Amino acid sequence: MAHSAFPYPTLCFHPDSTTNPRFFLSPPPLKLVKFSRTPNVNAPAPAPPLSAVATELPVVDGATIAAIGGGSVAALAAVLSLTDPERRRRLQAEEVGGGDKDVVKEYFNNSGFQRWKKIYGETDDVNRVQRDIRLGHSKTVENVMGMLKDEGPLTGVTVCDAGCGTGSLSIPLAKEGAIVFASDISAAMVAEAQNKAKEEVAGGVVPKFEVKDLESLEGKYDTVVCLDVLIHYPQNKADGMIAHLASLAEKRLIISFAPKTFYYDLLKRVGELFPGPSKATRAYLHSEADVETALRRVGWKIRKRGLVSTQFYFATLVEAVPA
């Protein structure tokens, strides 16, 4: 379930956004930051300029909000204070009769599956936002493959792909000879990944796919990878999940998450103004410092770190090893 990306990976637009959204932030160019081995927890993540906040916001709580221009963060924050995203989130949970996990499972087995199947696939039937998210996610997978192959050939290396989605990482790993155990909370995603793997992995070991949530994962693997999934976990639960994933890894743990900075947090809240025609999942951002602290508590340290960003996709990617 690699969604991150902002699983939904976009901070400021729902993946169903049109090519002419009503609210627009001027985009940065694609950034692939060189991964550093030097810890730099306090350095802020690069952020796109907030100079082109435009046009007109929708009706919020019965009042029409006028245009915001000139990159006024204070004015934007004031608008956001009038919204009530938590109320929408509570209603989402009530509809499916549970909390975050139930919302995620429901979403990615139904409308979310169709949406993300298109984003992760090769169809041309995607809008500008979805195409950009596809690019960002593919760059994350590309960087992960580079990290893994830096240590040598992957033949025979055991990898747990936790939150595998439609197999965008599992399948390339299997093609390189890795022995892959892949799981996702969504049965629809797992079925799609299995079908793709049967078609694309020829002459190698097809990944073993299973429907499981992260908490249910067990076993030991050379490497555990969890991409764009922590966005579904608030920090207190993310800490426990990071500890659990680390307990499954023998040599290294690679995770990506939506970075929590003032700027990105603001963009996420802007995105909550535009929930789209269908309900999406809750989105939680995480600071690199909090993730590093969670790793240190269980005896792990970050060895490599970097940021992957496109216009609508932002993900911090870290590789951790036993301290």
Side-chain angles (χ1 to χ4, degrees):
M1 186 172 54
H3 337 289
S4 70
F6 289 73
Y8 37 79
T10 172
L11 288 172
C12 47
F13 290 99
H14 189 280
D16 277 340
S17 298
T18 65
T19 54
N20 292 297
R22 296 177 66 192
F23 191 93
F24 180 76
L25 295 174
S26 60
L30 175 66
K31 296 176 182 176
L32 292 178
V33 177
K34 183 177 181 181
F35 286 83
S36 169
R37 291 178 179 267
T38 304
N40 187 20
V41 194
N42 298 317
L50 190 61
S51 58
V53 180
T55 66
E56 179 188 9
L57 293 174
V59 173
V60 180
D61 293 337
T64 300
I65 307 300
I68 301 176
S72 173
V73 174
L76 181 56
V79 170
L80 293 173
S81 70
L82 300 177
T83 69
D84 188 11
E86 285 304 318
R87 180 174 178 275
R88 279 202 304 272
R89 291 168 177 172
R90 287 195 301 272
L91 291 174
Q92 288 175 21
E94 289 170 5
E95 278 206 6
V96 299
D100 281 342
K101 186 190 297 186
D102 302 290
V103 172
V104 169
K105 185 175 181 179
E106 173 75 12
Y107 175 71
F108 285 106
N109 272 323
N110 293 286
S111 62
F113 167 67
Q114 296 300 330
R115 183 170 300 117
W116 289 96
K117 177 183 175 182
K118 289 199 304 182
I119 291 173
Y120 293 150
E122 298 180 354
T123 177
D124 292 329
D125 183 25
V126 289
N127 61 42
R128 180 170 61 93
V129 175
Q130 293 169 332
R131 192 179 301 278
D132 184 84
I133 294 170
R134 177 189 290 174
L135 174 62
H137 179 69
S138 69
K139 292 300 181 183
T140 296
V141 170
E142 180 182 321
N143 276 293
V144 170
M145 291 297 294
M147 283 180 171
L148 292 171
K149 291 193 285 188
D150 277 350
E151 304 295 317
L154 295 180
T155 303
V157 174
T158 57
V159 181
C160 173
D161 184 6
C164 64
T166 59
S168 55
L169 176 65
S170 297
I171 292 171
L173 284 172
K175 289 180 177 179
E176 291 288 335
I179 300 171
V180 183
F181 173 85
S183 64
D184 200 282
I185 195 172
S186 165
M189 288 282 189
V190 167
E192 178 68 15
Q194 287 175 323
N195 291 334
K196 290 176 63 177
K198 289 175 183 176
E199 294 176 1
E200 298 181 30
V201 181
V205 179
V206 175
K208 178 183 178 182
F209 292 100
E210 193 168 353
V211 180
K212 278 190 174 185
D213 57 33
L214 296 190
E215 294 90 337
S216 302
L217 295 177
E218 55 189 8
K220 284 290 185 180
Y221 310 90
D222 294 323
T223 296
V224 174
V225 183
C226 184
L227 300 183
D228 297 341
V229 177
L230 291 183
I231 196 165
H232 301 302
Y233 291 84
Q235 189 60 53
N236 62 328
K237 292 185 179 179
D239 290 348
M241 194 49 52
I242 289 169
H244 178 57
L245 293 172
S247 74
L248 306 175
E250 297 278 9
K251 298 179 180 178
R252 58 186 165 181
L253 169 64
I254 298 175
I255 56 178
S256 71
F257 52 92
K260 185 175 184 178
T261 66
F262 172 77
Y263 187 88
Y264 290 150
D265 188 52
L266 194 62
L267 290 186
K268 182 182 83 71
R269 294 177 66 191
V270 171
E272 289 170 340
L273 290 170
F274 302 86
S278 62
K279 295 177 177 64
T281 61
R282 308 180 193 190
Y284 299 99
L285 310 185
H286 301 286
S287 74
E288 192 171 323
D290 286 341
V291 171
E292 185 151 23
T293 297
L295 287 165
R296 283 176 175 167
R297 286 198 191 108
V298 291
W300 286 65
K301 64 181 181 181
I302 294 179
R303 181 168 67 173
K304 297 178 184 177
R305 67 187 79 212
L307 176 75
V308 179
S309 71
T310 64
Q311 183 176 351
F312 302 106
Y313 177 100
F314 309 89
T316 295
L317 184 62
V318 299
E319 179 191 66
V321 295

